Amino acid sequence: MLEKIIHLDKQLLVFLNGLGSTSFDGLWLVITNQLSWAPIFLLVFYLLQKKLGWKNFGYYILFTALLVLVCDQTANLFKHTFERLRPCNDEELKGIIRIVKSSPSFSFFSGHAANSMATAVFSFNILRKYYKHSYLLFLFPLIFAYSRIYLGLHFPGDVLTGYAFGATFGFICYKLYQKYILKS
């Protein structure tokens, strides 16, 4: 069963990665860089601070930092436990997929997907009562994590697992934030 899932994961990677084109490689390299998203982060911070005030915004920043730390370190723990090769390092796929960027580390699960989904879920749950279109925050993890497949750095299963992990911990973080804010 696991072998079949891995085979399907590889087939989906070949398809999704194959949709790429050298004329768009530069764009996806920019998209995969966290600093490229700084203007969006600053906008979200501004919107949050405006509605929450400085004190609760400070708590938001603290909770977000802890959330990213937990997601990132858990992803690294999983990577070193499972030691799944990245698509760019998989000999079976090297001649089949487009490798735009390489990395020597392991693949399962995607820290980019986990962190981006966790912060999106956490921020969305706070912002949704203030802004009608706060669901647009979910474009960030969708585009950001797809860049990892496009570049040949992650399998779709790595991204989906990262999404599930991030969404779960983002929601838990929101509940803890809510509980803490109500007490203060």
Side-chain angles (χ1 to χ4, degrees):
M1 176 72 170
L2 183 59
E3 286 178 21
K4 185 171 181 142
I5 292 170
I6 290 171
H7 178 71
L8 290 172
D9 199 21
K10 287 183 178 186
Q11 284 182 317
L12 186 56
L13 167 81
V14 170
F15 172 74
L16 293 173
N17 175 270
L19 296 174
S21 161
T22 54
S23 46
F24 290 104
D25 290 352
L27 172 67
W28 287 100
L29 285 166
V30 169
I31 288 171
T32 204
N33 183 342
Q34 292 95 325
L35 288 178
S36 301
W37 292 88
I40 303 294
F41 299 154
L42 291 174
L43 174 63
V44 170
F45 290 169
Y46 169 75
L47 295 173
L48 281 160
Q49 190 283 322
K50 191 171 134 182
K51 293 298 181 183
L52 299 176
W54 283 109
K55 180 182 176 187
N56 288 341
F57 177 69
Y59 289 132
Y60 165 82
I61 294 294
L62 177 65
F63 274 77
T64 300
L66 291 171
L67 179 61
V68 168
L69 179 70
V70 167
C71 287
D72 205 49
Q73 293 310 306
T74 304
N76 286 333
L77 177 67
F78 271 65
K79 286 176 185 179
H80 293 292
T81 300
F82 291 100
E83 296 186 346
R84 183 180 193 191
L85 292 177
R86 290 184 181 268
C88 59
N89 299 325
D90 188 326
E91 292 298 326
E92 181 185 333
L93 297 173
K94 274 189 177 178
I96 300 171
I97 65 168
R98 300 176 65 258
I99 300 173
V100 182
K101 187 175 179 178
S102 293
S103 174
S105 64
F106 296 110
S107 183
F108 183 77
F109 58 87
S110 170
H112 280 76
N115 286 326
S116 61
M117 185 58 82
T119 55
V121 166
F122 179 52
S123 300
F124 167 77
N125 278 295
I126 295 170
L127 283 173
R128 70 182 172 166
K129 64 183 166 191
Y130 304 114
Y131 299 101
K132 181 180 176 181
H133 300 291
S134 58
Y135 61 86
L136 292 173
L137 285 171
F138 290 105
L139 289 174
F140 165 58
L142 292 173
I143 296 167
F144 189 53
Y146 175 73
S147 73
R148 311 305 287 170
I149 295 168
Y150 181 99
L151 298 172
L153 292 168
H154 279 293
F155 292 96
D158 302 336
V159 169
L160 293 175
T161 304
Y163 279 163
F165 185 85
T168 302
F169 275 83
F171 188 73
I172 290 169
C173 188
Y174 169 68
K175 287 300 188 183
L176 292 171
Y177 174 84
Q178 240 184 348
K179 187 175 180 179
Y180 185 79
I181 294 305
L182 291 176
K183 280 187 177 180
S184 59

